[in-house]
Amino acid sequence: MKLLLLGGTADARKIAAPLIEAGIEGIYSVAGVVRQPKLDCAVISGGFSQIGGMYKYLVEQRVTAVLDATHPYAIRISESAQQHCQQLDIPCWRFAREPWVAHSGDNWLVVDSWDELITQCSNYRRPFLTTGQLSQSQLDQLAQNSQQLLYRTAAVPTAQLADNIQWLKAIGPFALADELAIMQSFKADLLVCKNAGGEATYAKLKAARALQVDVLMLARPMDCTQGSATQYRDIAAIVTAVLQSKD
């Protein structure tokens, strides 16, 4: 088996390590925006458009299976992987970690689109944005409707920031004490996030619960959990499935 693992998440690294240790020939793909993984396999960085597209790469490298462990909101690459695997008649596995669910004491408003999110965000004065990179239009609209914005990303923003946007560079995992301190210092009245799931960034939701800060949650796209790929929610289960298929 020659496996292309679409990564860029902590889950992907946890999946890759035991597969490589078991002797699977792996290629790990990462966007390369934030940090490079330390894995004992070939790593390609920067996406597939620079090398003629994913389909061309799969054919030229004679890849025999694909494992998609990208972010739950990385719809385009997930759809492309499933489409190309169907065309080439090779296995495709998809790991999508469990989404977060609201608990007692949480005050979540779940929205399905960015338009709805921007509209709801206008009801608050000091939102804390933890949604990753946003477009210029999205940031401009949010800034126009808020007194102050705290905008946290792992990489330098690709958009220009209005005067009322405070940028915070940080890479998870995040500790509860730190999240509490950030929200209290900024006097945040809203936490804005995507339902990414997992433990690495869950502390912000605990902090919002403790401080009684409202949460504006962008729901997962439906396509993230549907399609032709075999879906898994558990890391050990998907590793076992791949190992059983390697021969």
Side-chain angles (χ1 to χ4, degrees), residues 14 80 98 103 112 116 128-129 141 154 156 164 179 185 197 199 212 229 236 244:
K14 292 176 182 177
S80 294
E98 292 285 352
H103 294 275
D112 294 319
E116 189 180 358
F128 176 25
L129 303 175
Q141 290 180 75
V156 176
N164 65 333
E179 299 292 64
S185 175
E199 292 296 324
Q212 285 298 285
Q244 290 175 343

Side-chain angles (χ1 to χ4, degrees), residues 4-134:
L4 173 64
L5 198 154
L6 305 175
T9 63
D11 294 322
R13 295 189 294 275
K14 292 176 182 177
I15 292 168
L19 294 178
I20 295 166
E21 290 175 5
I24 286 182
E25 182 181 0
I27 305 169
Y28 188 94
S29 170
V30 62
V33 176
V34 179
R35 54 190 170 188
Q36 296 292 313
K38 295 181 180 179
L39 294 169
D40 190 19
C41 69
V43 177
I44 58 172
S45 177
F48 296 96
S49 59
Q50 61 184 343
I51 50 178
M54 188 190 301
Y55 183 87
K56 182 174 182 287
Y57 185 83
L58 292 172
V59 173
E60 291 183 348
Q61 296 298 317
R62 298 181 180 179
V63 171
T64 59
V66 174
L67 194 158
D68 175 13
T70 54
H71 193 275
Y73 289 75
I75 302 174
R76 289 185 180 179
I77 192 167
S78 295
E79 289 180 340
S80 294
Q82 293 180 40
Q83 177 185 348
H84 298 326
C85 287
Q86 279 187 311
Q87 292 170 335
L88 295 170
D89 194 24
I90 61 176
C92 181
W93 296 278
R94 165 75 177 157
F95 177 78
R97 56 182 175 253
E98 292 285 352
W100 295 316
V101 295
H103 294 275
S104 176
D106 288 333
N107 187 16
W108 290 13
L109 175 61
V110 180
V111 296
D112 294 319
S113 70
W114 269 104
D115 287 342
E116 189 180 358
L117 184 148
I118 289 170
T119 297
Q120 294 295 338
C121 203
S122 66
N123 297 319
Y124 297 84
R125 301 178 66 194
R126 301 181 68 86
F128 176 25
L129 303 175
T130 64
T131 50
Q133 292 285 348
L134 300 181

Side-chain angles (χ1 to χ4, degrees), residues 150-170:
L150 179 59
Y151 179 38
R152 182 169 72 188
T153 61
V156 176
T158 56
Q160 289 188 322
L161 304 184
D163 292 339
N164 65 333
I165 298 179
Q166 176 184 337
W167 176 56
L168 176 62
K169 176 181 172 61

